[in-house]
DNA sequence: GCCGTTTTCGGCCCGACTGTTTTCAGTCG
């Protein structure tokens, strides 16, 4: 039997949360919830941990004690456990299916099952359409309508959206709210401020004197499809997105005097906030979105810095507020003990882009157009990385093709440096580039060399030697076993000419999961054989993931952050990649392409002892 | 069911809004 994946374990444990809640069992739901959260942020398979370290390994997962470790062991060995089977028999309801409907929770699911025998989404829709739900005690016409709306939403919604695709609409909404008289701050908090790769909803925090006016403007926006709830401090709507689909958005309006406390609260993550509030309680305080209090006395609220400081912490960057060691680090730093918080890589600090495709293969623009666009966003060097021979669908280049392209690059290097000066003041969707020295964009010869099934590269060494930089990538045989895939990748990493591993997990958010691989092993090999790992900034790649970046940083593997631009519009995404790097605790020193061109080349070559 | 610079027993985050109520439970973040 195949051992359960983390996703399957999470689904089962989440159902246990609801079963216990339906059964009015106290405290167990929270205990299970905590384990679900821990496994969600785990960068390894629980089954692998068990196979290597047994029950002791399971108990090292935060929140897993004797009882849950025992359940997990059975789950891994038998695919289920007694307690779960017991409840499934007692309450034969498709929990996760019903839970996905907006507004339904454990208690409602219980009532619907007991009174109307509703076991799944189809039963629910039938009962709601027939008007049976509104006749139940404590339900009414509105509850029923809400359920039908929820089902409809579920049918056409794809769930989470990538941050990169949402930013334009978020900027639009923020700007509308900023124009309202009396409005002071407008900040999108939540997962957007934490720069998470995907976003489930949009949380906008506003400070204003007249909240009624803010809510009025907000609910009347053309994108608003439905208003879930509207109050003077909180309004909740559903937006229609221009690209199709819909997403929920909240606005909270608070007085300017409590902006910091509210921002801290609404930025999350939920887990981070729970830890911070526990710390507050320990110190005799109470923390809410209205401030830090001792009894009824307000201690801090104006800025986030104040709130953290009064708790004995230093300010923690939003990207790492995940309850995974940042609070302890902030505590240490406030006391002058190291290691404190990492000095995260600043936005706007990328000087060179090492993955760019042109119309020599699957890019939309010519080499020259891409070079000009790169200069316009203020880059100092770029590597041209068209695909190689075996990627037939893109018309991948062979050794001769690469040689021809090299000549073209030589020509452009000569021509453009004299004639095209970058406009470093230009403002771009993702932010403003720093002013600096002008001129001199260096175009490097490179390639996105395809790794064959056996781990060999598809270009001869003689041709690779002529490139400034060699990058490898996986584009086929995604379904090898974890062991085979890992060995294949490590064989390629061992190649003496390889410098960078592009989009290492191969995931495409919302379309394709990562292929099976043992990232810890791959990172150790990358360290040993001097290969840098890419953080691909493309909105639906963002690969490496945050947890892998943190592993890489801990091991001392060097990183690069690229756009993977396939057209001139794609130079707008660096800050997504930097946000991802920050989520992985990366500093400027960890990311090689924050260096000027000459130093970068020296640094990346020196990895290969 | 978990966990420990108040604790190996006794705690477990906080508040807004809704719908159906006549004082509040459920859901959400």
């Amino acid at each position: 039997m195949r051992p359960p994946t983390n996703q399957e374990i999470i689904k089962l444990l989440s159902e246990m949360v609801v079963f216990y809640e339906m059964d009015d069992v106290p405290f167990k739901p929270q205990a299970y919830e905590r384990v679900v959260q821990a496994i969600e942020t785990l960068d390894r398979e629980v089954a692998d941990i068990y196979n290597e370290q047994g029950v002791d390994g399971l108990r090292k997962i935060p929140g897993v004690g004797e009882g849950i470790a025992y359940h997990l062991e059975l789950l891994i060995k038998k695919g289920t456990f007694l307690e779960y089977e017991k409840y499934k028999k007692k309450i034969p309801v498709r929990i996760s299916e019903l839970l996905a409907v907006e507004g339904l929770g454990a208690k409602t699911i219980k009532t619907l099952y007991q009174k109307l025998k509703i076991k799944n989404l189809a039963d629910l829709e039938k009962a709601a359409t027939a008007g049976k739900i509104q006749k139940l005690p404590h339900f009414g016409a509105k509850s029923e309508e809400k359920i039908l709306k929820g089902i409809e939403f579920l049918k056409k919604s794809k769930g989470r959206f990538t941050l990169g695709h949402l930013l334009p609409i978020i900027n639009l909404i923020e700007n509308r709210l900023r124009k309202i008289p009396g409005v002071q701050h407008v900040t999108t908090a939540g997962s957007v401020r934490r720069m998470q790769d995907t976003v489930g909803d949009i949380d906008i925090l506003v400070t204003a004197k007249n909240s009624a006016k803010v809510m009025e403007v907000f609910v009347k926006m053309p994108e608003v499809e439905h208003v879930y709830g509207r109050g003077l401090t909180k309004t909740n709507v559903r937006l229609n997105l221009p690209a199709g689909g819909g997403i929920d958005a909240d606005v909270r309006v608070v007085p300017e005097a409590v902006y910091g406390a509210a921002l801290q609260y609404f930025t999350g993550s939920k887990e981070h906030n729970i830890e911070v509030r526990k710390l507050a309680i320990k110190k005799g305080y109470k923390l809410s979105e209205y401030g830090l209090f001792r009894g009824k006395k307000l201690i801090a609220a104006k800025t986030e810095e104040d709130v953290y400081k009064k708790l004995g912490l230093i300010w923690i960057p939003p990207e790492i507020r995940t309850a995974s060691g940042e609070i302890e680090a902030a505590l240490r730093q406030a006391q002058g003990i190291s290691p404190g918080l990492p000095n995260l890589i600043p936005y706007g600090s990328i000087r060179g882009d090492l993955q760019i495709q042109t119309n020599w293969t699957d890019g939309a623009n010519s080499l020259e157009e891409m070079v000009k666009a790169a200069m316009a966003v203020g880059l100092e060097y770029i590597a041209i990385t068209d695909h190689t021979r075996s990627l037939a669908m893109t018309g991948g280049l062979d050794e001769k093709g690469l040689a021809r392209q090299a000549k073209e690059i030589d020509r452009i290097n000569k021509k453009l440096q004299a004639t095209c000066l970058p406009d470093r003041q230009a403002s771009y969707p993702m932010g403003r580039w720093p002013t600096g020295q002008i001129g001199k964009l260096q175009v490097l010869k490179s390639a996105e060399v395809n790794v064959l099934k056996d781990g060999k590269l598809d270009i001869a060494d003689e041709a690779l030697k002529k490139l400034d930089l060699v990058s490898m990538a996986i584009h086929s045989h995604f379904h090898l076993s974890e062991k085979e895939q890992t060995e294949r990748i490590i064989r390629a990493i061992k190649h003496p000419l390889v410098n960078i591993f592009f989009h290492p997990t191969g995931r495409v958010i919302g379309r394709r999961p990562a292929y099976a691989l043992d990232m810890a092993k791959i990172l150790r090999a990358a360290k040993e054989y001097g290969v840098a790992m890419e953080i691909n900034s493309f909105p639906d790649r963002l690969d490496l993931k945050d947890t892998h970046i943190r592993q890489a940083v801990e091991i001392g593997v060097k990183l690069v952050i690229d756009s993977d631009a396939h057209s001139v519009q794609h130079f707008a995404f660096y800050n997504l990649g930097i946000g991802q790097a920050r989520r992985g605790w990366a500093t400027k020193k960890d990311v090689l392409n924050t260096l000027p061109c000459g130093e970068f080349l020296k640094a990346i070559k020196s990895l290969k002892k």
Side-chain angles (χ1 to χ4, degrees), chain A residues 178-224:
Chain A
R178 280 196 190 102
K179 282 188 195 140
I180 301 170
V183 163
Q184 288 132 329
H185 281 100
V186 176
T187 315
T188 301
S191 50
V192 173
R193 184 162 181 245
R194 299 199 312 276
M195 291 295 283
Q196 254 188 223
D197 44 14
T198 63
V199 174
D201 63 359
I202 301 169
D203 302 299
I204 303 169
L205 177 66
V206 177
T207 63
K209 291 184 183 111
N210 181 358
S211 74
K213 183 72 195 158
V214 175
M215 297 312 188
E216 177 81 15
V217 170
F218 185 63
V219 298
K220 291 217 168 121
M221 297 190 306
E223 295 84 5
V224 171

Side-chain angles (χ1 to χ4, degrees), chain A residues 19 26 36 48 59 79 159 191 217 219 278 298 310 360 423 445 473 487 536 538 542 545 582:
Chain A
F19 281 142
V36 166
D48 292 345
R59 294 202 52 171
S191 50
V217 170
V219 298
K278 281 183 183 166
L298 182 66
K310 284 289 190 295
W360 281 61
D423 172 15
K445 295 161 197 162
E487 282 169 3
N536 190 299
F538 217 79
L542 289 170
K545 293 201 299 182
R582 289 167 64 89

Side-chain angles (χ1 to χ4, degrees), chain A residues 34 68 115 222 254 321-322 324 345 347 358 361 369 373 401 420 427 461 472 481 483 495 504 557 598:
Chain A
R34 180 148 183 249
I68 295 182
K115 304 280 182 193
V254 300
R321 295 184 194 172
T322 56
S324 53
I345 173 176
Y347 289 101
T358 72
T361 56
E369 285 164 341
C420 177
S427 181
D461 287 1
M472 58 175 259
S481 71
K483 186 163 177 286
H495 191 291
V557 174

Side-chain angles (χ1 to χ4, degrees), chain A residues 322-364:
Chain A
T322 56
S324 53
E326 76 280 7
I327 294 171
E328 294 81 351
L331 212 50
R332 285 194 300 270
Q333 189 167 336
Q335 295 165 356
I337 304 166
S338 72
L341 287 172
N343 190 8
L344 300 180
I345 173 176
Y347 289 101
S349 56
I350 298 302
R351 303 175 85 141
D353 190 339
L354 310 164
Q355 178 168 192
I356 288 169
Q357 271 73 233
T358 72
N359 62 7
W360 281 61
T361 56
D362 63 346

Side-chain angles (χ1 to χ4, degrees), chain A residues 383-493:
Chain A
I384 300 298
T385 54
D386 278 300
H387 291 286
T388 53
R389 172 166 51 200
S390 60
L391 207 59
M393 60 181 185
T394 66
L397 304 178
D398 59 8
E399 287 81 353
K400 282 179 189 162
L402 285 171
R404 278 202 313 280
Q405 193 179 53
K407 277 188 190 162
E408 171 75 358
I409 290 174
D410 285 337
R411 185 185 69 79
I412 287 176
N413 263 336
K414 255 186 211 160
K415 176 184 158 193
L416 285 177
Q417 288 195 31
T419 59
C420 177
L421 297 180
D423 172 15
R424 286 176 183 272
Q425 295 295 336
S427 181
Y428 286 87
M430 292 300 298
R432 192 176 273 269
W433 287 90
T435 56
Q437 76 269 41
I438 287 187
K440 282 199 181 173
L441 180 126
Q442 181 73 37
V443 185
L444 302 173
K445 295 161 197 162
S446 187
E448 179 172 1
V449 183
N450 205 19
V451 176
L452 300 170
K453 189 184 178 188
D454 61 2
K456 289 184 184 151
L457 303 183
D458 73 340
I459 294 290
D461 287 1
E462 282 313 303
L464 294 180
K465 279 179 192 159
K466 291 179 184 149
L467 300 175
D468 296 309
L469 215 53
V470 176
S471 294
M472 58 175 259
I474 301 286
H475 291 104
S476 59
H477 301 101
F478 294 139
H479 296 294
L480 299 179
S481 71
E482 177 179 315
K483 186 163 177 286
E484 288 172 309
Q485 193 68 273
T486 304
E487 282 169 3
R488 169 198 190 193
I489 290 169
I490 289 178
R491 177 154 189 207
I493 283 176

Side-chain angles (χ1 to χ4, degrees), chain A residues 493-494 523-531 557 607-609:
Chain A
I493 283 176
K494 284 182 178 172
L523 290 173
R524 283 195 297 270
K527 168 81 178 166
E528 186 176 351
Y529 296 97
V531 170
V557 174
L607 297 177
K608 320 253 355 152
K609 287 158 206 149

Side-chain angles (χ1 to χ4, degrees), chain A residues 85-96:
Chain A
E85 288 301 316
K86 204 180 90 187
Y87 268 112
K88 245 178 74 172
K89 213 167 172 184
K90 188 171 162 190
I91 311 172
V93 174
R94 300 183 71 156
I95 301 291
S96 12

Side-chain angles (χ1 to χ4, degrees), chain A residues 62-279:
Chain A
V64 175
E66 196 185 338
I68 295 182
Y70 173 70
H71 291 326
L72 282 176
E73 182 179 30
L74 277 177
L75 181 53
I76 291 162
K77 289 209 296 212
K78 311 258 181 204
T80 186
F81 55 94
L82 199 64
E83 193 75 357
Y84 178 70
E85 288 301 316
K86 204 180 90 187
Y87 268 112
K88 245 178 74 172
K89 213 167 172 184
K90 188 171 162 190
I91 311 172
V93 174
R94 300 183 71 156
I95 301 291
S96 12
E97 205 174 288
L98 293 178
L99 211 52
V101 179
E102 165 89 29
L104 288 198
K107 302 289 166 160
T108 313
I109 292 173
K110 182 183 179 182
T111 309
L112 292 173
Y113 171 61
Q114 285 179 341
K115 304 280 182 193
L116 295 174
K117 296 273 163 283
I118 288 170
K119 293 180 188 168
N120 53 46
L121 206 57
D123 291 349
L124 182 70
E125 189 169 14
K126 221 166 104 187
T129 313
K132 285 183 184 166
I133 291 175
Q134 57 174 300
K135 295 196 180 110
L136 294 176
H138 294 277
F139 287 80
K142 284 207 171 162
S143 342
E144 193 170 79
E145 190 187 334
K146 197 177 161 196
I147 286 173
L148 281 170
K149 282 227 151 115
I151 295 172
E152 192 193 342
F153 171 40
L154 210 57
K155 280 181 178 167
K156 64 179 182 182
S157 165
K158 286 177 290 176
R160 297 185 74 84
F161 293 84
T162 57
L163 176 60
H165 291 130
L166 284 180
L167 282 176
I169 181 109
I170 290 171
N171 287 334
L172 185 74
I173 294 173
E174 282 182 346
N175 286 332
R176 280 186 198 136
L177 297 178
R178 280 196 190 102
K179 282 188 195 140
I180 301 170
V183 163
Q184 288 132 329
H185 281 100
V186 176
T187 315
T188 301
S191 50
V192 173
R193 184 162 181 245
R194 299 199 312 276
M195 291 295 283
Q196 254 188 223
D197 44 14
T198 63
V199 174
D201 63 359
I202 301 169
D203 302 299
I204 303 169
L205 177 66
V206 177
T207 63
K209 291 184 183 111
N210 181 358
S211 74
K213 183 72 195 158
V214 175
M215 297 312 188
E216 177 81 15
V217 170
F218 185 63
V219 298
K220 291 217 168 121
M221 297 190 306
E223 295 84 5
V224 171
E225 182 190 283
H226 176 67
V227 179
Y228 293 115
R230 177 174 172 181
L232 277 178
T233 66
K234 178 179 177 177
T235 290
N236 192 352
V237 304
R238 176 174 163 68
L239 300 177
N240 253 328
L241 294 177
I247 188 166
D248 291 348
D250 295 350
V251 160
R252 299 286 298 238
V253 181
V254 300
E256 176 70 14
V258 302
Y259 174 64
L263 185 58
Q264 195 284 325
Y265 179 87
F266 294 117
T267 297
S269 68
K270 191 178 173 191
E271 294 69 32
H272 173 88
N273 282 358
I274 288 174
E275 294 304 313
V276 172
R277 265 175 256 144
K278 281 183 183 166
L279 184 66

